[in-house]
Amino acid sequence: MIRRILAPSLALLLGATLVACGDDPEGDSSSNTSGSGLADLSIEGEVGSNPEVTWDGELQADDVEVEVVTEGDGEEVEAGDSVLSHVWIGNGVTQQMAFSTYDAQTPQLFTVDEEMLSELFIQGLEGQTIGSRVAVAASAETAFGPAGNSQLGIGNKDTVVAVIDLLEQVPDGPEGAEQQAPTWAPSLVGDEEAPTGLDFSGTPKPDGELKSAYLIEGEGDAVEKGQTIVVDYLGQVYGGKKPFDESFSAQPTSFQIGVGAVVKGWDQTLVGAPVGSRVIMAIPPELGYGKQGNEGAGIKGTDTLYFVVDVLAAN
């Protein structure tokens, strides 16, 4: 609900949820000839920069192949961890790039969960260390299911190559010094680590101004315009009995900040916030969903939005 612009989810393109879904892509490009594996693929460039991939003919991989191109010195990624990563996807048969997050500098959030990611990406993340560049190859069926992935131009008999840069491990919650809540702010309901709602008892009526304050002031670097940030959040209209949206009960979310990808109140508040912070904000309608509101979320054009946001990472 926080997003003003809804883009296709990378998880939907790359995750396990597409397994066995959809029709076989037309024009299957596989020739079913024998080819090389990762050992014959050249991958150059520094972690965080667009990989330079040189193909030595058609690449085939029946089983999942994993090669650590550059080994980082950060923490080892375990099952259940969330990692901010760049990813490059190539078709081993056509020897063409199918997808990349590098050019737009929009790293994506991956949670190491077999219900969310296919085996290709699980093996590229789990057991690897932060700061690493890892190459993984597998059949299209292993990566995406029997239909391949028509959205990426990968046929059901093709081979998939992924280059994954593990940039940053996302902590479970905010990290910093607790601050006194302002008098205009509602109190949090539920677990302090994962609030379930906002209590507006005694909270003054909104005055039409954008307000924000730190409940926890993080000790990390200040968020910069254009960065991809990872957050947990909860949103509730003033006087509302329950949230209209939240991520604390599920998984964190990621998006670019300061570029119009989310409501204006978020862009104006979170740019400059130290990573590790928990921010509470009151957003007037013109900096939220405007006069039209958001009918699907039960938000009227006159509603002031209150959010609590944990800024977990930025890259």
Side-chain angles (χ1 to χ4, degrees):
M1 295 303 177
I2 59 171
R3 297 179 186 271
R4 183 171 293 277
I5 301 172
L6 294 177
S9 170
L10 181 66
L12 291 180
L13 290 178
L14 307 184
T17 54
L18 280 186
V19 171
C21 294
D23 299 325
D24 287 1
E26 296 181 2
D28 174 20
S29 56
S30 173
S31 62
N32 265 337
T33 58
S34 61
S36 61
L38 283 177
D40 294 318
L41 190 68
S42 174
I43 302 171
E44 299 181 344
E46 297 182 357
V47 174
S49 65
N50 214 335
E52 300 174 12
V53 179
T54 303
W55 307 87
D56 185 18
E58 180 180 315
L59 188 148
Q60 295 288 331
D62 295 327
D63 299 321
V64 179
E65 295 184 30
V66 181
E67 178 185 341
V68 178
V69 180
T70 302
E71 186 171 3
D73 58 5
E75 295 185 16
E76 182 174 311
V77 175
E78 300 178 354
D81 287 347
S82 294
V83 183
L84 202 57
S85 303
H86 269 308
V87 61
W88 181 99
I89 305 293
N91 187 321
V93 174
T94 65
Q95 300 164 48
Q96 298 291 321
M97 183 187 77
F99 181 87
S100 175
T101 65
Y102 291 90
D103 289 339
Q105 284 299 298
T106 52
Q108 301 291 319
L109 183 66
F110 292 91
T111 298
V112 184
D113 185 330
E114 292 181 355
E115 294 185 1
M116 301 177 67
L117 295 176
S118 71
E119 185 66 19
L120 177 80
F121 301 101
I122 292 290
Q123 291 208 25
L125 294 166
E126 189 173 359
Q128 310 299 340
T129 54
I130 298 298
S132 296
R133 167 167 285 182
V134 181
V136 193
S139 68
E141 182 171 358
T142 298
F144 300 117
N149 192 317
S150 59
Q151 291 175 281
L152 298 181
I154 294 174
N156 62 341
K157 299 299 183 183
D158 289 342
T159 301
V160 180
V161 177
V163 179
I164 305 171
D165 286 355
L166 289 72
L167 303 177
E168 188 171 353
Q169 188 165 346
V170 178
D172 293 333
E175 299 174 346
E178 292 189 12
Q179 307 293 315
Q180 184 173 355
T183 57
W184 55 263
S187 56
L188 304 187
V189 176
D191 191 333
E192 288 187 2
E193 294 183 1
T196 58
L198 301 174
D199 182 359
F200 290 95
S201 300
T203 303
K205 291 183 178 180
D207 60 7
E209 299 294 325
L210 175 66
K211 297 181 181 295
S212 65
Y214 296 121
L215 299 180
I216 297 174
E217 186 169 3
E219 300 173 349
D221 294 337
V223 171
E224 298 179 10
K225 180 180 179 181
Q227 282 190 312
T228 294
I229 66 172
V230 181
V231 304
D232 263 325
Y233 69 94
L234 179 147
Q236 197 165 323
V237 301
Y238 176 78
K241 301 301 182 184
K242 62 180 181 179
F244 57 80
D245 194 18
E246 60 87 24
S247 69
F248 286 101
S249 64
Q251 301 290 339
T253 188
S254 64
F255 49 85
Q256 275 189 292
I257 194 68
V259 297
V262 290
V263 295
K264 292 179 180 179
W266 279 52
D267 277 344
Q268 293 183 21
T269 298
L270 296 181
V271 172
V275 172
S277 297
R278 169 169 285 180
V279 184
I280 192 163
M281 61 182 89
I283 301 177
E286 63 269 21
L287 298 179
Y289 293 102
K291 294 180 180 179
Q292 74 278 7
N294 187 320
E295 184 177 355
I299 298 172
K300 300 188 296 293
T302 56
D303 282 336
T304 295
L305 312 179
Y306 286 73
F307 285 98
V308 56
V309 181
D310 290 352
V311 183
L312 303 176
N315 195 285

